[in-house]
Amino acid sequence: MRIATRLPGERTLAAGDADRIAHIRGALIEIGNEWRARHPWLAAHQDQVGLGFFLVAIAGVLGDGYLYAIGVLPWWATILVTGFWLSILHELEHDLIHSMYFRNNRVVHHVMMFGVWFFRPSTINPWVRRRLHLHHHEVSGTDSDLEERAITNGEGWGAHRTISLLDSVLGMYTKPFRTHHLVRTYIAHEARTPEEARHLAAINLMSYFPLGVFHYTLWHLFIGINLYELFAGPTSIPGAGILTFLAVTILAPNAVRTFCLHFVSSNMHYFGDVQAHNVMQQTQVWTAKWLKPFHAFCFNFGETHAIHHFLVRDPFYIRELIKRDCQQVLRDNGVRFDDFGTFRRANRFGLAPTPMEP
């Protein structure tokens, strides 16, 4: 089996871990290559496959909305089915961030980037997220990993973590000093000049503008109206019917999808006592059956994301198709599976005692 080359940061690791990481990466490359050899058409048309998923998922969201509007789909089914389509759009965004589709056709690439954002307005601007996510790969599990820290990775369980997973914006507003600290730590690590630091501060401040502002304003208004009516009785509010339609077809599906993704991601990534660049310590694999409802709305993120940390190359649908063979490689080489003790340890890997973040 071919041994993959070590990445630059991995050259500072102890020989045992560095060799094991290289061995795992080489095995994953071989598994992916064998799949591509068996399915040459799909492998040769990655752009078109990605675009196909993009169009089908958007058609699914629009179709669900139409079926709900004419009374065919009940509200609860609309939310659940639409949440599944949105999980595909999230995976496409992630692949687009890594330039896996239309690398040489920037017009289509950016149209897809906007499309996955437009139908998932609860997320930050994907062009902003690109830098955050690439930074996450460089520093996963350490203090400046803003992408994971912002969704509560490393925080002890309590009211704030629960609120943040249910609603990212409320999480920021209820602990503004924590949010400020996380952003400043990220900028201090990422920026090379004072001008770049100011630029990063500005774009991160505007990361939810305008779609996120639109989404959360309407979502909080919808929740507020329903809470008021729960205690005060029915009211007649202009536009309430349109707001309810948007809540069922876009706002609530995104809220469900975001909660499931953030719950899985923030707990399967380790934080705090992770050695820099040591992929063996960055993630675990979640395969327990009780996670199926969560995985339904984040496209099996917990089962496949560790593969991505070792090998970025493969798009989401290939990772899903080869996950069984890849998981066996990870298991055989010491990557953790279903380590739910992480809930008690505030996502610490457990190498050394580290105080929980309050």
Side-chain angles (χ1 to χ4, degrees):
M1 180 180 295
R2 179 166 59 90
I3 299 297
T5 304
R6 296 178 186 176
L7 299 180
E10 294 167 0
R11 294 168 189 162
T12 63
L13 302 179
D17 280 347
D19 289 344
R20 193 162 16 161
I21 292 168
H23 173 77
I24 292 172
R25 187 174 293 121
L28 300 183
I29 289 172
E30 292 297 333
I31 291 169
N33 288 346
E34 290 173 5
W35 184 91
R36 286 175 167 80
R38 294 194 303 271
H39 307 280
W41 187 90
L42 289 174
H45 295 85
Q46 186 165 301
D47 290 347
Q48 290 72 26
V49 173
L51 181 61
F53 275 112
F54 175 76
L55 296 174
V56 168
I58 289 176
V61 172
L62 296 176
D64 292 345
Y66 174 73
L67 293 175
Y68 169 70
I70 64 174
V72 174
L73 273 184
W75 64 268
W76 58 268
T78 304
I79 292 172
L80 296 180
V81 178
T82 301
F84 169 76
W85 296 122
L86 295 175
S87 75
I88 294 177
L89 292 179
H90 168 78
E91 292 300 310
L92 287 169
E93 182 202 58
H94 177 255
D95 289 351
L96 286 162
I97 283 172
H98 287 285
S99 298
M100 293 184 185
Y101 309 120
F102 295 99
R103 183 189 299 264
N104 298 318
N105 188 331
R106 304 310 289 176
V107 173
V108 178
H109 176 88
H110 290 303
V111 167
M112 290 180 67
M113 285 277 276
F114 179 77
V116 298
W117 185 29
F118 181 80
F119 286 93
R120 296 161 45 260
S122 61
T123 62
I124 66 173
N125 181 320
W127 289 277
V128 174
R129 186 184 170 225
R130 170 173 277 151
R131 184 158 186 173
L132 290 174
H133 185 70
L134 297 180
H135 181 77
H136 160 70
H137 275 275
E138 293 177 5
V139 302
S140 182
T142 62
D143 286 339
S144 70
D145 185 3
L146 177 59
E147 182 175 69
E148 280 296 316
R149 302 298 312 285
I151 62 171
T152 74
N153 185 287
E155 186 176 357
W157 277 97
H160 179 260
R161 184 162 191 174
T162 303
I163 290 171
S164 299
L165 290 175
L166 291 169
D167 191 304
S168 300
V169 169
L170 284 181
M172 290 190 295
Y173 287 159
T174 52
K175 269 197 175 182
F177 294 110
R178 176 184 186 272
T179 302
H180 178 76
H181 170 72
L182 297 183
V183 173
R184 298 310 304 175
T185 303
Y186 159 71
I187 291 173
H189 189 283
E190 180 75 353
R192 294 169 179 81
T193 65
E195 292 76 15
E196 188 177 12
R198 287 192 290 271
H199 173 70
L200 287 176
I203 63 173
N204 277 282
L205 183 65
M206 300 295 291
S207 59
Y208 278 102
F209 183 84
L211 297 185
V213 174
F214 179 76
H215 168 88
Y216 284 103
T217 299
L218 293 181
W219 181 232
H220 293 162
L221 179 62
F222 174 78
I223 293 174
I225 290 173
N226 280 271
L227 287 175
Y228 177 82
E229 291 185 340
L230 179 65
F231 294 102
T235 59
S236 178
I237 299 176
I242 296 174
L243 181 60
T244 298
F245 177 79
L246 291 174
V248 171
T249 58
I250 286 293
L251 306 179
N254 268 296
V256 171
R257 179 202 65 81
T258 300
F259 169 77
C260 291
L261 174 67
H262 288 183
F263 172 78
V264 172
S265 183
S266 68
N267 286 292
M268 63 161 291
H269 284 89
Y270 291 106
F271 168 79
D273 54 2
V274 174
Q275 184 181 12
H277 308 294
N278 192 337
V279 190
M280 296 293 300
Q281 301 170 8
Q282 292 175 0
T283 64
Q284 58 170 305
V285 183
W286 272 9
T287 60
K289 291 182 179 180
W290 67 268
L291 293 163
K292 294 296 184 184
F294 297 96
H295 280 153
F297 298 105
C298 61
F299 213 86
N300 279 339
F301 188 89
E303 292 196 12
T304 62
H305 190 65
I307 301 168
H308 175 72
H309 266 250
F310 282 94
L311 180 64
V312 172
R313 177 188 68 170
D314 294 327
F316 79 98
Y317 60 91
I318 292 182
R319 290 199 305 274
E320 179 64 25
L321 291 168
I322 64 176
K323 68 181 179 184
R324 297 303 176 205
D325 291 337
C326 293
Q327 286 173 359
Q328 192 59 51
V329 171
L330 299 179
R331 191 186 298 273
D332 291 345
N333 287 276
V335 176
R336 294 182 183 178
F337 278 65
D338 297 326
D339 173 21
F340 300 124
T342 187
F343 293 116
R344 298 190 306 273
R345 305 194 305 269
N347 311 124
R348 268 55 184 185
F349 187 76
L351 291 176
T354 305
M356 286 187 181
E357 178 184 322

